[in-house]
Amino acid sequence: MEKEKQTTVEVDKEQLEKMIKAIEDLTVRIEELNKTIKHKDAIIEKLQRMLFGKKSEKARHAEMMANMPTLFDLEYPEESPSSARALQNIQYSRKKRCWNKDDLGDVERTKIVIEAAEEEKKCPWCGKEMEKIGEEKVRTRVIIEEPKIRIEEIYTETYVCPSCRQDGEDVLFKTEAPLPVIPHSFASAEAIAHVANERFVKSVPYNRQEKEWKWLGLSVSRRTMSNWIMAVSELYLEPVVLKMREHLLKEELCHCDETPIQVLREEGRKNTSKSWMWVYSSAAVSRKPIRIFQYAPGRGSWI
């Protein structure tokens, strides 16, 4: 038998290197695809457990979303030209929605300019100093400064006449300090006004104000703050209320309303005892609008 002839293929070395490089690239690509397939299989397995395993809220939601038709599969009735015009009119007449409802109002404003450093004012090309040609507003920010507590030590000065002293007579003069708002109290008018505004305008109770004052560096008890308000009411506000009562009695119409309340730890009474908060008001047409609030342990007469 004749020997089979062996076929010899001559390949260029450069072409061989290209083929080997292509095989290596394909091998790397196959490994990446295998990793991707394993990752996809894990996701599919997890979704199958969610759908066909024990039901949960998320699984029910996923199932519902899967069975829901897409937006483009929904069939809508064909609208007539008249309804299209009506819809167009509605769209054009609708007011533009304003998302930013914050109003900065007339609050005091301070202009902050970010100035360039001295080395930044020099031209990077020629080194000469550059001239300012304008400003650009970047943004607005709101700054809130916490209230500060300041203590004033009040002193009076004493003067003496040296000429009279040489004659054996002492002529003295002493400056007069302003009277305190509350006798024998360190409370100022500003401090009392702040406490009253926080309590009756902002509805901040005394215990919270006590904590805020302590954070600011001064320990003032809630009982002291309450005593300030009661003392100021008796000294300064009660005459005003009596004057309002005098004008109210001269009105042709007067409205009155009562609200039952319970007062805790009232002297001589139980906590379950019923008390009353009375409100006296002038009519809406009155030229002098008056509102007077009065607490009473019963329904006795005050007006």
Side-chain angles (χ1 to χ4, degrees), residues 36-48:
T36 304
I37 292 173
K38 290 181 180 180
H39 180 66
K40 299 292 185 181
D41 290 341
I43 295 177
I44 294 173
E45 184 179 356
K46 183 178 179 180
L47 292 176
Q48 287 177 344

Side-chain angles (χ1 to χ4, degrees), residues 2 23-24 51 56 85 96 109 132 142 149 153-154 171 202 225 230 244 257 273 279:
E2 296 182 358
I23 293 173
E24 291 177 352
L51 291 174
S56 62
R85 287 195 299 270
K96 185 178 180 181
R109 296 170 182 261
K132 180 179 177 181
V142 177
I149 295 181
E153 302 286 352
I154 301 176
V171 179
K202 299 181 181 179
M225 296 181 182
M230 290 190 293
M244 292 172 61
D257 183 43
S273 300
V279 182

